[in-house]
Amino acid sequence: MTKTNDGFALPRRVILQGVASVALVGLGKLALGVAPAFAANDKYPEEAFKQKSVDDAIKLLYGKTAEKSDKVKLDAPEIAENGAVVPIAASSTLADVTSISFLVAENPNALVASYRIPAGTVPSVANRIKMAKTSNVIVVVEAGGKLYSATKEVKVTVGGCGG
């Protein structure tokens, strides 16, 4: 028996039934056609994630090049004291954003994250990425069939001592 704050005892079976009901409601929504974040026909861009250069990764991921835009905002620290956990965020004021991707020029594999942005969603994502060393971080936003980007250099320090 599990006791509640008001002193009533709830059998474990009642609690488990409630949890199972919530899970079934979620599965029911999926079965009724409520779309998940990724459509079934979206294919994981495995080859793009294997590319060593930023240009090759963008070409495989999108098939075109990006132009710089002041409507794409990249938030990243100037100095990252720990290259294993670098906080980054991107947002855009562009209309019809369909994807946002993060790339790091000096990483062994340039593409570090790529997100599909469902229609009607605020085009803003945040992540913590791993950086091998000081490098340019590039965010690429796909909007209206075109690519836009922003770049920022992030300095990775050794041992977190700033130098």
Side-chain angles (χ1 to χ4, degrees):
M1 294 277 191
T2 303
K3 293 214 179 209
T4 63
N5 289 341
D6 56 5
F8 291 108
L10 288 176
R12 187 173 298 164
R13 181 178 301 165
V14 171
I15 294 170
L16 291 174
Q17 286 174 342
V19 170
S21 297
V22 170
L24 287 174
V25 167
L27 287 174
K29 285 183 177 182
L30 190 61
L32 290 173
V34 175
F38 293 94
N41 61 355
D42 282 345
K43 193 173 178 188
Y44 178 74
E46 185 174 348
E47 286 304 311
F49 277 101
K50 293 179 181 178
Q51 298 308 303
K52 307 296 180 202
S53 83
V54 169
D55 292 336
D56 290 344
I58 292 172
K59 187 175 182 181
L60 272 172
L61 193 60
Y62 297 107
K64 48 194 159 200
T65 59
E67 63 183 67
K68 293 197 184 303
S69 174
D70 60 351
K71 293 184 178 188
V72 175
K73 182 179 178 196
L74 172 61
D75 282 332
E78 288 185 27
I79 298 175
E81 294 182 1
N82 182 355
V85 186
V86 180
I88 58 170
S91 60
S92 178
T93 57
L94 294 164
D96 300 322
V97 173
T98 55
S99 74
I100 298 175
S101 298
F102 293 110
L103 300 102
V104 178
E106 296 296 324
N107 269 8
N109 293 7
L111 182 60
V112 294
S114 186
Y115 302 90
R116 295 276 181 221
I117 308 298
T121 307
V122 174
S124 178
V125 294
N127 203 341
R128 294 172 193 231
I129 63 172
K130 189 172 187 177
M131 292 181 65
K133 56 186 172 181
T134 298
S135 179
N136 281 334
V137 175
I138 301 108
V139 62
V140 175
V141 174
E142 183 178 31
K146 294 183 178 180
L147 296 183
Y148 304 92
S149 69
T151 303
K152 183 173 184 179
E153 182 182 53
V154 176
K155 294 178 180 147
V156 177
T157 61
V158 179
C161 58

